[in-house]
Amino acid sequence: MKHTLLALLLSLLFSCNTSAQKIETKEKETFSVTKTETQWKEQLTEKQYYVLRKAGTERPFSSPLNKNYKKGVYHCAACDTPLFKSDHKFDSGTGWPSFDREIEGNVTYGSDNNLGYSRDEEHCATCGGHLGHLFNDGPKETTGKRHCINGVALKFVSEE
């Protein structure tokens, strides 16, 4: 029990971002889907807006997509861009959906230094929505990468 609690606390501290983060690359890049803040608020749920547009983080283990093992593709919840394939999803134990690779060209990266150290932040390449972070502690037998993604930023499209 103590080890589980310690692992959970460590994953909370080091796994994904906090609400204090800002999207530096979003302001510098031009995205093909752009909307006003009012339009985004009308389209997205409160949680989606918080994560995708304000670089927030959902609570760990709160997304039903974390334990989704169906075949399909995970799309951006804001603009429907395909981002990750279910074939590349794995259970990282962190409480967020995790993938060992993205669909090439559909995710863009920036630096996040708001916790006092640098992390690779991930965004939808089409609308600039904040997705999560990229870490180098993924499965060694594949890419060694862990795309730690907020489930609320995703929409699952089943293969069926």
Side-chain angles (χ1 to χ4, degrees), residues 37-48:
E37 292 304 304
T38 301
Q39 290 171 318
W40 285 123
K41 283 181 180 180
E42 289 172 356
Q43 175 188 333
L44 303 171
T45 68
E46 190 175 318
K47 286 181 183 179
Q48 288 172 325

Side-chain angles (χ1 to χ4, degrees), residues 140-158:
K140 299 293 181 215
E141 62 276 5
T142 59
T143 64
K145 303 291 183 187
R146 175 172 56 98
H147 297 260
C148 181
I149 307 299
N150 290 282
V152 74
L154 300 173
K155 176 176 81 171
F156 181 70
V157 177
S158 178

Side-chain angles (χ1 to χ4, degrees), residues 99-112:
F99 305 86
D100 68 357
R101 68 197 78 168
E102 77 282 12
I103 294 175
E104 197 169 327
N106 292 355
V107 175
T108 187
Y109 300 90
S111 292
D112 164 18

Side-chain angles (χ1 to χ4, degrees), residues 52-160:
L52 287 159
R53 307 316 306 170
K54 295 298 180 187
T57 300
E58 68 187 359
R59 285 187 346 266
F61 304 101
S62 65
S63 172
L65 294 180
N66 186 42
K67 295 291 184 179
N68 179 35
Y69 300 109
K70 297 175 185 171
K71 290 279 189 188
V73 178
Y74 294 83
H75 290 229
C76 176
C79 70
D80 205 32
T81 297
L83 301 170
F84 303 96
K85 295 179 181 178
S86 61
D87 292 341
H88 303 136
K89 188 173 186 286
F90 67 97
D91 187 355
S92 66
T94 61
W96 290 277
S98 298
F99 305 86
D100 68 357
R101 68 197 78 168
E102 77 282 12
I103 294 175
E104 197 169 327
N106 292 355
V107 175
T108 187
Y109 300 90
S111 292
D112 164 18
N113 298 301
N114 290 311
L115 292 180
Y117 59 94
S118 184
R119 297 183 296 169
D120 293 326
E121 189 171 16
E122 298 189 55
H123 307 275
C124 172
T126 304
C127 70
H130 170 78
L131 302 172
H133 291 86
L134 176 64
F135 299 97
N136 291 317
D137 60 2
K140 299 293 181 215
E141 62 276 5
T142 59
T143 64
K145 303 291 183 187
R146 175 172 56 98
H147 297 260
C148 181
I149 307 299
N150 290 282
V152 74
L154 300 173
K155 176 176 81 171
F156 181 70
V157 177
S158 178
E159 207 173 77
E160 299 168 1

